[in-house]
Amino acid sequence: MTILCRCENIETSEGVPLFVTGVAQVKIMTEKELLAVACEQFLGKNVQDIKNVVLQTLEGHLRSILGTLTVEQIYQDRDQFAKLVREVAAPDVGRMGIEILSFTIKDVYDKVDYLSSLGKTQTAVVQRDADIGVAEAERDAGIREAECKKEMLDIKFMADTMIADSKRAFELQKSAFSEEVNIKTAEAQLAYELQGAREQQKIRQEEIEIEVVQRKKQIAVEAQEILRTDKELIATVRRPAEAEAHRIQQIAEGEKVKQVLLAQAEAEKIRKLGEAEAAVIEAMGKAEAERMKLKAEAYQKYGDAAKMALVLEALPQIAAKIAAPLTKVDEIVVLSGDNSKVTSEVNRLLAELPASVHALTGVDLSKIPLIKKATGAQV
């Protein structure tokens, strides 16, 4: 569908009324969901009704965008203006299942001669640029002329500098020649003095060589004396000392062998004792194991009687352990009221306890000082 949009007497952001005509190409979207939306919106309506709905939407967005732009922006960049309208209007018509294929600005004009004034302004700008170009050309010519004069003066100054450099080089060369003459004169004087020093050095070297020869002869004599003294020391001191050292070494070796043999004998003795003790422990362990085995067999054979005998054997030890703390007690005081039987019961228990324990365990509690004192007090 082709839709022609006209907006008349719409003010821009600067308040200038414009007449704008745009052309849009739209169509129903074919995607399933969007097609369903379009059916919901336009089912039962003819093509003209659909165009009117889309036209109103586009014109509304066109008016709102015109109010945000200047005349220059609308007139000079129509493509950007049309693109802005498409981007703003596309979501709204898209929600109705309509797709904007294209939107272009067909015409823009006004009735207040604003656009024609813009043309006059452009013409004045072009004239101004032409005047500026002429002025710049004249300026460049003056600059070039000044540059030529500068180059001429530079060449003149360069020539003067070269002349001055030549004079300076001449003076430097002259000074260099004078310096070279002075250096040669000084070198000759130094060479004379150096030759004299060399002659003195040769004389001193000959004297040193004579002293060295004398010193070598003296050293040879001293070496012969050292050899004689060394032989004398070997004959009188070193030989007897070596003999004594050899004797002491032989004694130490014998003592060492003796200690080693004693240590080996002691180790053998300890090993034999260990083996004997191990054999004894092993025999005792086997005997104890055999005794325990026979004892267990006897307990198993006799049953409860054997268990009772084992308990009775252990009772004296148990009673002794129980009575041990009482041996450390000096006295026990029992307090009771007039009608209380605590005292009489305790006295009766103390009187009967030694006989009962002695009958069961064989332990005589009456010999314990505390029990003896308690039973004596009762009697």
Side-chain angles (χ1 to χ4, degrees):
M1 293 176 287
T2 300
I3 299 175
L4 186 65
C5 301
R6 290 189 179 88
C7 293
E8 299 179 354
N9 206 25
I10 303 299
E11 292 186 357
T12 64
S13 62
E14 296 175 341
V16 179
L18 291 180
F19 294 80
V20 180
T21 302
V23 178
Q25 301 293 334
V26 301
K27 75 179 189 68
I28 302 295
M29 295 184 182
T30 57
E31 287 81 357
K32 185 175 180 181
E33 293 80 3
L34 298 174
L35 183 60
V37 172
C39 292
E40 180 182 356
Q41 295 290 329
F42 303 114
L43 193 62
K45 295 182 180 180
N46 55 32
V47 175
Q48 188 60 41
D49 294 336
I50 297 174
K51 285 184 176 183
N52 290 336
V53 172
V54 176
L55 176 62
Q56 292 176 7
T57 303
L58 292 175
E59 286 181 351
H61 286 295
L62 184 60
R63 288 190 185 92
S64 62
I65 293 172
L66 283 172
T68 61
L69 301 176
T70 64
V71 178
E72 288 81 0
Q73 291 174 334
I74 298 169
Y75 187 77
Q76 295 175 1
D77 197 354
R78 296 189 180 188
D79 292 338
Q80 183 64 27
F81 174 47
K83 180 181 178 182
L84 185 61
V85 174
R86 284 197 305 272
E87 291 176 353
V88 174
D92 287 345
V93 297
R95 284 191 286 270
M96 294 185 291
I98 302 296
E99 180 183 2
I100 299 175
L101 299 176
S102 68
F103 182 85
T104 58
I105 302 300
K106 183 178 180 182
D107 190 17
V108 177
Y109 65 94
D110 69 300
K111 295 183 178 180
V112 293
D113 296 331
Y114 187 88
L115 293 175
S116 60
S117 298
L118 288 177
K120 294 177 181 179
T121 302
Q122 186 64 27
T123 302
V125 169
V126 172
Q127 184 63 39
R128 180 199 62 192
D129 292 342
D131 295 340
I132 292 172
V134 172
E136 289 178 349
E138 293 176 353
R139 179 200 62 190
D140 293 340
I143 292 172
R144 183 57 183 165
E145 183 179 358
E147 289 177 351
C148 291
K149 291 181 179 180
K150 179 179 176 298
E151 291 177 0
M152 180 188 68
L153 294 175
D154 289 341
I155 293 171
K156 181 179 180 301
F157 293 152
M158 188 180 297
D160 295 339
T161 302
M162 291 177 66
I163 294 171
D165 289 340
S166 298
K167 290 182 179 179
R168 181 174 58 83
F170 172 75
E171 295 294 335
L172 290 174
Q173 190 67 28
K174 184 177 178 181
S175 299
F177 291 153
S178 299
E179 183 180 358
E180 186 174 357
V181 170
N182 294 331
I183 290 173
K184 292 298 182 182
T185 303
E187 287 178 352
Q189 181 66 29
L190 289 174
Y192 173 76
E193 295 176 357
L194 180 61
Q195 186 63 31
R198 287 175 180 174
E199 294 298 329
Q200 292 294 328
Q201 185 177 6
K202 286 181 181 180
I203 294 170
R204 179 56 184 163
Q205 187 174 358
E206 294 293 334
E207 293 176 352
I208 292 173
E209 288 178 357
I210 294 171
E211 293 177 358
V212 168
V213 171
Q214 293 176 351
R215 182 60 180 165
K216 284 181 179 179
K217 290 181 179 180
Q218 184 179 358
I219 291 171
V221 173
E222 291 176 355
Q224 294 296 326
E225 180 65 21
I226 290 170
L227 289 175
R228 187 190 65 76
T229 306
D230 187 40
K231 289 179 180 180
E232 183 179 356
L233 290 173
I234 290 172
T236 59
V237 178
R238 184 175 176 183
R239 296 300 183 186
E242 288 179 352
E244 181 65 19
H246 181 70
R247 185 182 68 80
I248 294 172
Q249 183 179 4
Q250 293 298 321
I251 294 172
E253 290 290 337
E255 186 66 24
K256 176 182 177 183
V257 172
K258 177 183 176 182
Q259 294 297 329
V260 171
L261 292 175
L262 289 174
Q264 291 177 351
E266 184 66 21
E268 185 66 20
K269 173 185 174 182
I270 293 171
R271 187 178 66 80
K272 294 294 185 181
L273 289 174
E275 290 178 354
E277 291 178 359
V280 171
I281 293 171
E282 182 180 3
M284 291 177 63
K286 289 181 179 179
E288 181 66 19
E290 186 65 23
R291 186 181 70 81
M292 294 297 293
K293 179 180 178 183
L294 294 175
K295 192 174 182 181
E297 290 177 354
Y299 287 155
Q300 185 176 6
K301 180 177 179 181
Y302 292 107
D304 295 338
K307 295 178 182 179
M308 181 60 71
L310 183 62
V311 172
L312 291 176
E313 288 178 3
L315 279 177
Q317 297 178 3
I318 296 172
K321 294 292 183 181
I322 294 173
L326 295 176
T327 60
K328 300 178 182 180
V329 178
D330 293 334
E331 63 180 5
I332 297 175
V333 179
V334 179
L335 301 177
S336 64
D338 296 336
N339 297 325
S340 176
K341 297 180 180 182
V342 175
T343 305
S344 60
E345 291 295 330
V346 171
N347 292 331
R348 185 182 62 79
L349 178 61
L350 291 174
E352 296 175 356
L353 181 61
S356 300
V357 173
H358 186 270
L360 292 173
T361 65
V363 178
D364 190 1
L365 296 179
S366 62
K367 294 180 179 181
I368 298 174
L370 178 62
I371 303 298
K372 185 176 181 181
K373 183 178 180 181
T375 55
Q378 179 185 8
V379 175

